[in-house]
């Protein structure tokens, strides 16, 4: 009987065993580390981001080694591989090719226009909190004739959720062209990855983008907020279930982006695809919600 129990215990352990899924991402042309690439399983709510040295490490069920993995990063072609093929190995990512940007003379700013300025009471909800898999949440900015005299992007403001959900964090800001056929985000407008930082006390963060000389596209454009699954952004919080005195501890990921009411659904990049991201409208008085992002335009 003891032998049978021992055998059952060993079998149970073997089927539920977790492993450290780890590897390294390098640039195929330069052999330099690919920093903050998002690595996510296509059929599971698991993911991680590569660190400054290009490495990643995630505890997973070993059965996930049989699943496909999606890897995406600014300036690199999206890659889908079998997880077992890169376990404890180095994967070389192919950089995208770009035309050289035109040199622009510095501009003197004497006129500004703010788009979608929010007050604290306008923040109705938030995107974030749970760890899950890496994603990019977007807000679309259509072009309007009144922007003609202030056509350049000068600053963007990103708002965060309630004080309870705020933690220190790093996140990436992306600018996307609009695909005329699909209406979805397409190519990045600029090649450089813009990293933004927040603290617990920050209700919003200002990011100066004037040096990029981005002219407001006539077809409009998307701003994407990309959460990074790196140790700097992880934190733990405790809570109690209703009717229980026991404290539970859960892991989460910062930042928690503030959200405002919107009429239409928003687009999220998740597991290698752009898709509509719906929320139950009855919760938000018949509205959807979108990231709270403001723009300052200049001449």
């Amino acid at each position: 009987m003891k032998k049978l129990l021992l055998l059952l215990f060993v079998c149970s352990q073997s089927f539920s065993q977790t492993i450290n899924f780890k590897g390294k991402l390098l640039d195929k042309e330069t052999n330099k580390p690919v920093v903050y690439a998002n690595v996510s399983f296509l059929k599971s709510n698991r993911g991680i981001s590569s660190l400054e040295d290009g490495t990643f490490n995630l505890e997973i069920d070993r059965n996930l080694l049989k699943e496909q993995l999606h890897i995406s990063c600014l300036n690199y072609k999206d890659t889908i591989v079998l997880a077992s093929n890169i376990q404890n190995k180095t994967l070389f990512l192919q950089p995208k090719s770009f035309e050289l940007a035109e040199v622009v003379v510095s501009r003197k700013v004497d006129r500004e226009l703010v788009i979608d300025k929010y007050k604290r009471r306008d923040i109705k909800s938030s995107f974030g909190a749970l760890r899950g898999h890496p994603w990019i949440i977007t807000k679309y900015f259509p072009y309007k004739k009144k922007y003609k005299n202030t056509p350049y992007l000068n600053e963007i403001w990103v708002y965060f959720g309630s004080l309870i959900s705020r933690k220190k964090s790093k996140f990436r800001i992306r600018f996307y062209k609009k695909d005329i056929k699909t209406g979805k985000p397409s190519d990045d407008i600029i090649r450089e990855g813009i990293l933004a930082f927040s603290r617990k006390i920050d209700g919003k963060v200002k990011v100066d983008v004037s040096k990029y000389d981005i002219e407001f596209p006539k077809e409009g454009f998307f701003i994407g907020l990309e959460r990074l699954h790196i140790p700097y952004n992880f934190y733990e919080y405790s809570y109690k279930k209703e009717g229980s005195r026991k404290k539970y501890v859960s892991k989460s990921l910062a930042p928690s982006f503030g959200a405002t009411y919107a009429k239409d659904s928003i687009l999220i990049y998740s597991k290698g695809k752009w898709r509509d991201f719906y929320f139950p409208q009855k919760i938000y008085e018949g509205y959807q919600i979108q990231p709270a992002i403001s723009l300052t335009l200049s001449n």
Side-chain angles (χ1 to χ4, degrees):
M1 184 65 179
K2 289 183 179 180
K3 290 182 179 180
L4 177 60
L5 290 174
L6 179 60
L7 179 62
L8 290 174
F9 175 76
V10 172
C11 290
S12 174
Q13 288 292 95
S14 64
F15 282 113
S16 63
Q17 182 182 0
T18 59
I19 62 170
N20 282 330
F21 176 59
K22 53 187 178 180
K24 190 171 187 177
L25 304 176
L26 296 181
D27 186 299
K28 189 174 183 179
E29 296 180 358
T30 66
N31 282 341
K32 291 183 178 180
V34 178
V35 182
Y36 300 151
N38 280 331
V39 180
S40 58
F41 287 89
L42 291 179
K43 294 184 178 180
S44 172
N45 191 28
R46 299 304 309 278
I48 197 70
S49 300
S50 60
L51 302 177
E52 285 80 0
D53 61 356
T55 62
F56 61 87
N57 192 331
L58 178 67
E59 188 176 275
I60 63 169
D61 187 303
R62 68 176 180 180
N63 289 328
L64 283 178
L65 287 178
K66 303 173 184 177
E67 300 294 336
Q68 286 187 315
L69 198 71
H70 175 256
I71 302 170
S72 66
C73 189
L74 177 69
N75 296 330
Y76 291 89
K77 294 181 179 179
D78 280 15
T79 302
I80 295 178
V81 295
L82 197 64
S84 59
N85 289 343
I86 63 170
Q87 168 70 327
N88 293 318
K89 297 177 182 177
T90 297
L91 180 67
F92 293 89
L93 298 185
Q94 179 65 51
K96 293 180 180 178
S97 57
F98 294 89
E99 294 181 2
L100 292 177
E102 182 180 347
V103 177
V104 180
V105 180
S106 298
R107 296 173 285 104
K108 180 181 178 181
V109 176
D110 56 19
R111 185 183 296 136
E112 290 186 338
L113 176 67
V114 178
I115 302 175
D116 295 348
K117 187 175 182 179
Y118 299 109
K119 295 182 179 180
R120 197 67 223 164
R121 65 173 177 266
D122 297 322
I123 308 302
K124 304 299 184 181
S125 186
S126 60
F127 299 94
L130 299 178
R131 291 181 66 176
H133 54 270
W135 46 252
I136 303 171
I137 201 79
T138 63
K139 179 180 177 180
Y140 175 65
F141 288 87
Y143 179 80
K144 297 180 181 180
K145 289 183 179 180
K146 65 179 181 179
Y147 303 159
K148 181 179 179 180
N149 295 324
T150 52
Y152 292 95
L153 275 61
N154 197 41
E155 298 170 344
I156 72 171
W157 292 83
V158 178
Y159 295 75
F160 302 104
S162 65
L163 183 60
I164 296 175
S165 63
R166 289 182 216 157
K167 304 290 179 182
K168 67 177 185 178
S169 67
K170 298 179 185 179
F171 61 97
R172 180 182 280 145
I173 297 174
R174 307 276 290 266
F175 296 88
Y176 295 102
K177 298 177 183 178
K178 179 184 177 181
D179 188 298
I180 302 301
K181 293 182 178 180
T182 66
K184 296 181 179 181
S186 57
D187 298 327
D188 286 277
I189 293 176
I190 60 173
R191 292 186 61 183
E192 184 176 336
I194 302 175
L195 277 184
F197 300 81
S198 70
R199 301 167 297 171
K200 185 172 183 178
I201 63 173
D202 294 328
K204 58 184 178 181
V205 164
K206 180 181 74 171
V207 181
D208 187 343
V209 295
S210 59
K211 69 176 183 178
Y212 301 108
D213 287 293
I214 304 172
E215 189 169 0
F216 206 120
K218 293 299 188 292
E219 65 276 10
F221 73 104
F222 293 87
I223 289 183
L225 304 178
E226 182 176 16
R227 289 203 310 166
L228 303 173
H229 286 230
I230 55 177
Y232 185 87
N233 290 344
F234 293 145
Y235 67 94
E236 292 184 345
Y237 65 94
S238 59
Y239 63 95
K240 292 182 180 179
K241 294 183 178 180
E242 187 176 352
S244 174
R245 295 183 178 181
K246 183 179 178 181
K247 280 190 175 181
Y248 296 86
V249 177
S250 183
K251 291 184 178 181
S252 194
L253 181 74
S256 181
F257 298 118
T260 62
Y261 286 156
K263 294 181 180 179
D264 302 315
S265 62
I266 58 170
L267 289 163
I268 184 171
Y269 188 72
S270 172
K271 299 181 181 180
K273 293 182 179 180
W274 286 107
R275 61 193 79 202
D276 290 328
F277 198 43
Y278 292 100
F279 284 83
Q281 293 186 347
K282 62 182 180 181
I283 297 178
Y284 301 112
E285 303 177 11
Y287 290 90
Q288 301 291 340
I289 58 173
Q290 67 181 2
I293 305 172
S294 297
L295 286 181
T296 302
L297 303 181
S298 65
N299 62 325

